Amino acid sequence: MAAKQMKFQEAMKRLDEIVTLLNNNELELEEAMSLFEEGLKLSAQCEKQLKKFETKMDQLMEVNKEFEDYLLMRVHENDDSRTKDAMAYSLMNGGKRVRPTLLFSVLEGYGIDARVGYPCACAIEMIHTYSLIHDDLPAMDNDDLRRGKPSCHKAYDEATAILAGDGLLTKAFEVALDSECSAEQKVALVKALSWYSGIDGMIYGQTLDLQSENDLNPTLALLQEIDHYKTSKLLTLPLVCGCILANKFDDVEHFRKIGLVLGLEFQMQDDILDVTGSEEVVGKSLSDEDNHKVTAVSLLGLQGARDMVASYDETIRKELGYVSCDVTSLSKVLDTLLKRTY
């Protein structure tokens, strides 16, 4: 095998085989020397790749810290108030930052620095956080725990939580317009933010979700429709915004398809974790069963839900083959989401 043609995992596996063979005292000297030389080449290759991974991790950590600082700056730049404190409490209360990471990975695929996406990613995270604040309210899901800490209405009060959500939603559009791009691209960004999070997007999904609580005959089709709007829309949004910022509008339709299936997969993973996880690990109240909500697990069973997640992932990987950017970084993000435990 030629070392330069081998992937990191293959090289490590071959190295392990070589070590096993070299420990065999029955090898002829010539064969042992040949294996030893191959092992040295593979070892050098793996070391070089590990250094690349280390550099990449350092860059990602730098971007993550910078972006967290950017979020903090944007949420603190307005006049002091209890509402602003509640906005900051929820926005900076941990979270997986899935949507910003998706946007940054798309930009990386187009060869664009992640910092170009900070304003838009911040706007998306503000909209996502506002939706969580309102979703946790007693009138909706009535959850006391969010991201491992008291929900906004528990840490403050219901009225302040409502205002904090309103504040984050409206602030998002101001921040998004600070993106360094053309006027045409800014209009496209604002339209995308409005459409994917609005009455024909995430909010419609929340409406369907609330209506389904008293449905006596829930179906998988209903569940998928809810997840399509409530979850898929906000996961599609960063992918589409990445295309807009890169001025690659031809890829938008492909990323819409990816985002749709990703949302279904992501929500089904959440449903599985609601059954297999704990509140301490997942970081939120596991209230779906208590609220008699329709979930993938309640309809398909645990293994059936896991099988469907695998099917969704296969569909996403196929669609990635049609986009014009390098999908290496995005694929790694998708791998992480698929294997997540919280």
Side-chain angles (χ1 to χ4, degrees):
M1 292 186 180
K4 64 180 180 180
Q5 296 178 345
M6 298 179 69
K7 295 181 179 179
F8 180 77
Q9 294 90 337
E10 294 172 340
M12 290 296 293
K13 182 179 179 181
R14 178 57 181 163
L15 268 174
D16 187 56
E17 292 173 353
I18 290 172
V19 170
T20 301
L21 289 170
L22 287 175
N23 282 327
N24 184 350
N25 295 326
E26 298 178 1
L27 286 177
E28 296 290 338
L29 177 61
E30 185 177 348
E31 184 180 1
M33 288 297 296
S34 177
L35 285 171
F36 181 71
E37 289 177 5
E38 181 186 352
L40 286 178
K41 291 177 181 178
L42 287 171
S43 179
Q45 175 193 336
C46 290
E47 184 179 1
K48 185 178 179 180
Q49 287 183 294
L50 282 171
K51 286 182 179 178
K52 286 183 178 180
F53 294 152
E54 184 179 358
T55 301
K56 182 65 177 176
M57 286 302 298
D58 288 342
Q59 291 171 344
L60 287 173
M61 290 176 67
E62 181 182 355
V63 167
N64 288 341
K65 183 181 184 305
E66 281 186 1
F67 181 64
E68 291 298 312
D69 290 343
Y70 184 84
L71 286 174
L72 188 62
M73 176 192 72
R74 298 312 304 252
V75 78
H76 275 311
E77 64 188 5
N78 296 104
D79 294 338
D80 290 339
S81 69
R82 181 174 172 81
T83 297
K84 188 181 85 168
D85 292 342
M87 289 166 60
Y89 171 82
S90 295
L91 184 66
M92 306 308 299
N93 197 10
K96 296 180 281 291
R97 306 296 190 219
V98 171
R99 291 149 193 86
T101 303
L102 287 171
L103 195 157
F104 298 153
S105 66
V106 171
L107 289 178
E108 182 180 337
Y110 288 120
I112 298 173
D113 191 278
R115 294 167 184 83
V116 172
Y118 281 7
C120 192
C122 176
I124 294 171
E125 198 67 3
M126 285 179 165
I127 290 173
H128 174 55
T129 303
Y130 120 76
S131 75
L132 298 180
I133 292 174
H134 284 189
D135 207 39
D136 288 339
L137 289 168
M140 294 186 71
D141 277 359
N142 193 26
D143 277 327
D144 295 343
L145 189 67
R146 173 63 64 180
R147 294 171 175 170
K149 296 181 181 179
S151 300
C152 189
H153 68 277
K154 285 295 182 179
Y156 290 84
D157 54 72
E158 286 185 38
T160 301
I162 293 170
L163 290 174
D166 294 344
L168 286 168
L169 175 60
T170 50
K171 180 72 177 177
F173 293 94
E174 174 194 337
V175 175
L177 287 170
D178 287 336
S179 298
E180 294 185 6
C181 57
S182 69
E184 179 187 5
Q185 287 168 293
K186 288 184 180 182
V187 170
L189 287 174
V190 170
K191 186 174 182 180
L193 289 169
S194 302
W195 191 78
Y196 284 98
S197 66
I199 193 63
D200 291 325
M202 177 194 67
I203 291 176
Y204 182 60
Q206 290 177 312
T207 302
L208 292 175
D209 194 23
L210 290 171
Q211 291 174 348
S212 73
E213 290 181 17
N214 298 316
D215 195 322
L216 299 178
N217 298 295
T219 64
L220 180 61
L222 172 63
L223 176 66
Q224 290 175 322
E225 186 179 17
I226 292 170
D227 293 344
H228 168 66
Y229 287 97
K230 186 175 180 181
T231 305
S232 292
K233 293 297 184 181
L234 278 196
L235 286 173
T236 305
L237 180 57
L239 302 176
V240 169
C241 287
C243 293
I244 294 171
L245 287 168
N247 207 25
K248 297 289 185 180
F249 288 85
D250 288 346
D251 281 340
V252 167
E253 189 56 37
H254 295 303
F255 276 117
R256 281 178 179 164
K257 293 178 182 178
I258 292 167
L260 165 61
V261 183
L262 176 60
L264 298 177
E265 177 189 272
F266 189 88
Q267 187 57 55
M268 198 163 286
Q269 281 283 80
D270 264 3
D271 292 346
I272 292 170
L273 290 172
D274 279 348
V275 174
T276 62
S278 68
E279 292 188 358
E280 290 76 14
V281 175
V282 177
K284 63 178 180 179
S285 298
L286 305 180
S287 61
D288 285 349
E289 187 174 351
D290 293 339
N291 289 342
H292 308 292
K293 281 199 170 185
V294 185
T295 70
V297 176
S298 68
L299 291 176
L300 301 172
L302 186 58
Q303 189 56 50
R306 284 173 169 161
D307 291 343
M308 187 156 283
V309 165
S311 175
Y312 285 149
D313 190 62
E314 183 179 350
T315 301
I316 291 171
R317 305 301 169 148
K318 288 180 180 178
E319 192 65 31
L320 282 173
Y322 297 110
V323 300
S324 65
C325 67
D326 182 349
V327 297
T328 303
S329 179
L330 179 57
S331 295
K332 290 177 181 177
V333 173
L334 296 175
D335 286 340
T336 301
L337 294 179
L338 183 65
K339 297 172 184 176
R340 68 192 173 97
T341 57
Y342 64 95

